[in-house]
Amino acid sequence: MLVAAAVCPAPPLLVPEVAAGAAAELGDARTACSDALAVLAASRPDLLVVVGSAAEGGAYDQGTPGSFAGFGVDLTVTLGPDLGEPPSGHATGVTLPTSLAVAGWLLGQARWAAAPVAGAAVAADLAPSGCGLLGADLGASAERVAMLVLGDGSACRTLKAPGYLDERAAAFDAAAARALGAADVAALAGIDATVAAELQAAGRAPWQVLAGAAEGAELEGRLLYEDAPYGVGYFVAAWS
């Protein structure tokens, strides 16, 4: 069952090498992510499941590589500690989607060694019911499961945001922040997928996977970070 969860944003800019001169702008977010990962390690999990949004769903083994070359940076990471051998069940050349590559970077910075790692990419357009079912399966994948969930809020908070300004964005993000900070499973499960898509909120599907995994776990939450520095809602929360 799920014993702990950490929710972190998924922008490649979280990686200082990608952010370059703007790296300091997300310093507080990185610190909050580190604190959230410490909560996961302290939960003594048997398995860490990493969940992030992608164009298509899929499973990724520990040690699967991810690259930030597409962002102009010669940087490769792995999903959890590199096992020194090709991940089982995957053809050569399989790489992590961006959200899971960001997770790989976070785990590397934390020197994660508390439990084996498994990755789950969730299709960005997966219906809430499907997210809930996937989460329930992932939450039952070990006796003590910790979950690292990568996802952003709306991308429409300002005129210069990726999705331009949408007057609904601030209220959407405020509701998401409340739900994540309170570990409110029902509120997360009830996020409107259509509105989330219109606001380009890439975290909707991963958050609803978390909601499915946390059903009945009665975890308590803390919101560690909330901001929208680039017109995109970023949140960090820890559940335990």
Side-chain angles (χ1 to χ4, degrees):
M1 66 176 292
L2 189 72
V3 296
V7 178
C8 295
L13 288 172
L14 207 57
V15 179
E17 292 89 340
V18 175
E25 294 181 17
L26 287 180
D28 289 345
R30 293 185 196 98
T31 298
C33 289
S34 177
D35 292 343
L37 282 168
V39 172
L40 298 186
S43 72
R44 305 187 314 279
D46 299 316
L47 176 69
L48 174 66
V49 178
V50 182
V51 179
S53 179
E56 297 181 355
Y60 295 86
D61 294 325
Q62 180 171 333
T64 300
S67 172
F68 292 96
F71 301 95
V73 175
D74 183 17
L75 175 64
T76 298
V77 297
T78 58
L79 186 66
D82 190 350
L83 298 175
E85 57 188 30
S88 62
H90 285 299
T92 302
V94 168
T95 58
L96 299 171
T98 300
S99 63
L100 296 187
V102 172
W105 181 84
L106 288 172
L107 291 171
Q109 293 300 299
R111 299 183 180 178
W112 179 266
V117 180
V122 54
D125 60 356
L126 185 63
S129 58
C131 292
L133 291 172
L134 175 59
D137 286 344
L138 295 174
S141 56
E143 186 172 342
R144 296 180 62 84
V145 175
M147 191 169 279
L148 172 58
V149 180
L150 281 291
D152 303 339
S154 75
C156 304
R157 291 282 292 274
T158 65
L159 293 173
K160 294 184 178 181
Y164 196 64
L165 177 65
D166 190 307
E167 298 296 342
R168 302 171 294 173
F172 178 93
D173 284 348
R178 284 194 299 271
L180 293 169
D184 189 334
V185 172
L188 291 176
I191 293 175
D192 188 304
T194 299
V195 173
E198 292 170 351
L199 296 177
Q200 301 183 24
R204 190 276 305 174
W207 297 340
Q208 290 184 325
V209 170
L210 169 59
E215 185 69 42
E218 299 183 356
L219 301 181
E220 296 183 353
R222 289 183 295 136
L223 189 66
L224 305 181
Y225 176 88
E226 176 188 4
D227 203 355
Y230 305 109
V232 181
Y234 296 150
F235 317 103
V236 179
W239 295 12
S240 61

